[in-house]
Short mmCIF file of all heavy atoms in Angstrom, two decimals:
data_model
loop_
_atom_site.label_atom_id
_atom_site.label_comp_id
_atom_site.label_asym_id
_atom_site.label_seq_id
_atom_site.Cartn_x
_atom_site.Cartn_y
_atom_site.Cartn_z
N THR A 64 -0.97 30.80 5.86
CA THR A 64 -2.18 30.77 6.58
C THR A 64 -3.41 31.26 5.80
O THR A 64 -4.42 30.68 5.75
CB THR A 64 -2.08 31.55 7.91
OG1 THR A 64 -0.96 31.15 8.66
CG2 THR A 64 -3.36 31.36 8.76
N GLU A 65 -3.14 32.34 5.05
CA GLU A 65 -4.23 32.89 4.15
C GLU A 65 -4.55 31.87 3.13
O GLU A 65 -5.82 31.61 2.83
CB GLU A 65 -3.81 34.23 3.60
CG GLU A 65 -4.91 34.91 2.83
CD GLU A 65 -4.40 36.31 2.38
OE1 GLU A 65 -3.63 36.90 2.95
OE2 GLU A 65 -5.02 36.71 1.29
N ASN A 66 -3.67 31.23 2.43
CA ASN A 66 -3.85 30.18 1.47
C ASN A 66 -4.56 28.98 2.12
O ASN A 66 -5.52 28.39 1.52
CB ASN A 66 -2.51 29.87 0.80
CG ASN A 66 -2.67 28.84 -0.32
OD1 ASN A 66 -3.59 29.12 -1.19
ND2 ASN A 66 -2.03 27.76 -0.34
N ASP A 67 -4.08 28.55 3.28
CA ASP A 67 -4.81 27.47 3.91
C ASP A 67 -6.22 27.73 4.22
O ASP A 67 -7.11 26.93 4.01
CB ASP A 67 -4.05 27.19 5.25
CG ASP A 67 -2.75 26.64 5.15
OD1 ASP A 67 -2.35 26.14 3.97
OD2 ASP A 67 -1.95 26.57 6.06
N ASN A 68 -6.56 28.92 4.58
CA ASN A 68 -7.94 29.38 4.94
C ASN A 68 -8.76 29.22 3.62
O ASN A 68 -9.94 28.76 3.68
CB ASN A 68 -8.02 30.80 5.56
CG ASN A 68 -7.48 30.80 6.98
OD1 ASN A 68 -7.32 29.78 7.64
ND2 ASN A 68 -7.08 31.98 7.45
N LYS A 69 -8.25 29.71 2.45
CA LYS A 69 -8.92 29.69 1.30
C LYS A 69 -9.23 28.14 0.88
O LYS A 69 -10.30 27.76 0.47
CB LYS A 69 -8.16 30.28 0.21
CG LYS A 69 -8.11 31.85 0.26
CD LYS A 69 -7.26 32.48 -0.73
CE LYS A 69 -7.26 33.95 -0.55
NZ LYS A 69 -6.27 34.60 -1.47
N ARG A 70 -8.11 27.31 1.08
CA ARG A 70 -8.39 25.81 0.77
C ARG A 70 -9.40 25.22 1.64
O ARG A 70 -10.22 24.46 1.26
CB ARG A 70 -7.04 25.26 0.97
CG ARG A 70 -5.92 25.58 -0.16
CD ARG A 70 -4.59 25.04 0.09
NE ARG A 70 -4.57 23.46 0.12
CZ ARG A 70 -4.53 22.76 -0.93
NH1 ARG A 70 -4.47 23.32 -2.14
NH2 ARG A 70 -4.59 21.46 -0.75
N ASP A 71 -9.38 25.56 2.98
CA ASP A 71 -10.25 25.01 3.99
C ASP A 71 -11.73 25.41 3.53
O ASP A 71 -12.67 24.69 3.74
CB ASP A 71 -9.97 25.57 5.35
CG ASP A 71 -8.75 24.93 5.83
OD1 ASP A 71 -8.11 23.98 5.29
OD2 ASP A 71 -8.18 25.55 6.85
N GLU A 72 -11.89 26.77 2.99
CA GLU A 72 -13.23 27.12 2.73
C GLU A 72 -13.76 26.28 1.46
O GLU A 72 -14.90 25.87 1.39
CB GLU A 72 -13.27 28.62 2.28
CG GLU A 72 -14.46 29.24 2.11
CD GLU A 72 -15.39 29.18 3.39
OE1 GLU A 72 -14.81 29.24 4.48
OE2 GLU A 72 -16.74 29.13 3.20
N ILE A 73 -12.83 25.89 0.58
CA ILE A 73 -13.20 25.01 -0.63
C ILE A 73 -13.68 23.74 -0.13
O ILE A 73 -14.68 23.24 -0.59
CB ILE A 73 -12.05 24.97 -1.61
CG1 ILE A 73 -11.76 26.38 -2.36
CG2 ILE A 73 -12.40 23.89 -2.59
CD1 ILE A 73 -10.54 26.37 -3.11
N THR A 74 -12.88 23.10 0.77
CA THR A 74 -13.33 21.75 1.34
C THR A 74 -14.52 21.84 2.09
O THR A 74 -15.48 21.00 1.98
CB THR A 74 -12.16 21.12 2.12
OG1 THR A 74 -11.77 21.95 3.16
CG2 THR A 74 -11.01 20.82 1.33
N LYS A 75 -14.75 22.88 2.84
CA LYS A 75 -15.88 23.15 3.70
C LYS A 75 -17.16 23.15 2.80
O LYS A 75 -18.22 22.52 2.88
CB LYS A 75 -15.86 24.28 4.58
CG LYS A 75 -17.02 24.44 5.51
CD LYS A 75 -16.81 25.68 6.34
CE LYS A 75 -18.03 25.96 7.11
NZ LYS A 75 -17.95 27.18 7.92
N LYS A 76 -17.04 23.98 1.62
CA LYS A 76 -18.21 24.21 0.72
C LYS A 76 -18.60 22.90 0.00
O LYS A 76 -19.75 22.72 -0.40
CB LYS A 76 -17.88 25.35 -0.21
CG LYS A 76 -18.02 26.71 0.38
CD LYS A 76 -17.78 27.84 -0.56
CE LYS A 76 -17.86 29.28 0.12
NZ LYS A 76 -17.57 30.23 -0.83
N SER A 77 -17.59 22.08 -0.08
CA SER A 77 -17.87 20.79 -0.67
C SER A 77 -18.33 19.69 0.21
O SER A 77 -18.47 18.48 -0.13
CB SER A 77 -16.57 20.33 -1.42
OG SER A 77 -16.08 21.20 -2.46
N GLY A 78 -18.46 20.12 1.53
CA GLY A 78 -18.96 19.22 2.50
C GLY A 78 -18.02 18.25 3.15
O GLY A 78 -18.30 17.15 3.75
N TRP A 79 -16.70 18.65 3.17
CA TRP A 79 -15.69 17.93 3.64
C TRP A 79 -15.15 18.42 4.99
O TRP A 79 -15.14 19.67 5.22
CB TRP A 79 -14.46 17.81 2.79
CG TRP A 79 -14.63 16.97 1.59
CD1 TRP A 79 -15.49 17.16 0.47
CD2 TRP A 79 -13.95 15.78 1.23
NE1 TRP A 79 -15.42 16.10 -0.40
CE2 TRP A 79 -14.43 15.28 0.04
CE3 TRP A 79 -12.93 15.10 1.85
CZ2 TRP A 79 -13.97 14.10 -0.56
CZ3 TRP A 79 -12.37 13.96 1.29
CH2 TRP A 79 -12.98 13.48 0.05
N LEU A 80 -14.70 17.58 5.94
CA LEU A 80 -14.07 17.99 7.23
C LEU A 80 -12.54 18.03 6.88
O LEU A 80 -12.05 17.04 6.14
CB LEU A 80 -14.31 17.03 8.32
CG LEU A 80 -13.48 17.23 9.58
CD1 LEU A 80 -13.90 18.54 10.25
CD2 LEU A 80 -13.66 16.01 10.51
N THR A 81 -11.79 19.11 7.22
CA THR A 81 -10.36 19.12 7.08
C THR A 81 -9.70 18.98 8.45
O THR A 81 -10.03 19.72 9.27
CB THR A 81 -10.00 20.43 6.43
OG1 THR A 81 -10.63 20.60 5.14
CG2 THR A 81 -8.45 20.56 6.21
N ILE A 82 -8.75 18.01 8.42
CA ILE A 82 -7.89 17.98 9.57
C ILE A 82 -6.44 18.40 9.18
O ILE A 82 -5.92 17.97 8.18
CB ILE A 82 -7.88 16.38 10.12
CG1 ILE A 82 -9.25 16.01 10.48
CG2 ILE A 82 -6.84 16.36 11.20
CD1 ILE A 82 -9.29 14.53 10.75
N ARG A 83 -6.02 19.40 9.86
CA ARG A 83 -4.65 20.00 9.63
C ARG A 83 -3.66 19.63 10.64
O ARG A 83 -3.90 19.71 11.77
CB ARG A 83 -4.68 21.51 9.52
CG ARG A 83 -5.37 22.10 8.39
CD ARG A 83 -5.16 23.55 8.14
NE ARG A 83 -5.50 23.84 6.77
CZ ARG A 83 -4.74 23.64 5.74
NH1 ARG A 83 -3.59 23.20 5.86
NH2 ARG A 83 -5.29 23.87 4.53
N LEU A 84 -2.56 19.01 10.23
CA LEU A 84 -1.62 18.59 11.10
C LEU A 84 -0.22 19.23 10.79
O LEU A 84 0.13 19.43 9.56
CB LEU A 84 -1.38 17.02 10.80
CG LEU A 84 -2.55 16.17 10.83
CD1 LEU A 84 -2.01 14.75 10.30
CD2 LEU A 84 -3.02 16.00 12.16
N ASN A 85 0.40 19.80 11.86
CA ASN A 85 1.75 20.29 11.58
C ASN A 85 2.88 19.31 11.64
O ASN A 85 2.66 18.18 12.03
CB ASN A 85 2.01 21.56 12.41
CG ASN A 85 2.41 21.26 13.88
OD1 ASN A 85 2.35 20.11 14.27
ND2 ASN A 85 2.65 22.27 14.54
N GLY A 86 3.97 19.64 11.19
CA GLY A 86 5.11 18.66 11.04
C GLY A 86 5.51 18.07 12.45
O GLY A 86 5.80 16.91 12.54
N ASP A 87 5.47 18.88 13.48
CA ASP A 87 5.88 18.41 14.82
C ASP A 87 4.87 17.37 15.36
O ASP A 87 5.27 16.34 15.86
CB ASP A 87 5.84 19.56 15.78
CG ASP A 87 7.08 20.49 15.65
OD1 ASP A 87 8.05 20.04 15.02
OD2 ASP A 87 6.98 21.61 16.18
N ALA A 88 3.64 17.59 15.08
CA ALA A 88 2.58 16.58 15.43
C ALA A 88 2.81 15.33 14.70
O ALA A 88 2.73 14.13 15.35
CB ALA A 88 1.19 17.11 15.20
#
Side-chain angles (χ1 to χ4, degrees):
T64 303
E65 187 176 333
N66 185 49
D67 291 344
N68 291 339
K69 289 176 184 176
R70 292 172 59 83
D71 294 343
E72 192 61 32
I73 290 169
T74 57
K75 181 180 175 183
K76 285 181 179 178
S77 298
W79 287 66
L80 170 70
T81 299
I82 298 175
R83 288 196 164 276
L84 309 170
N85 76 354
D87 288 340

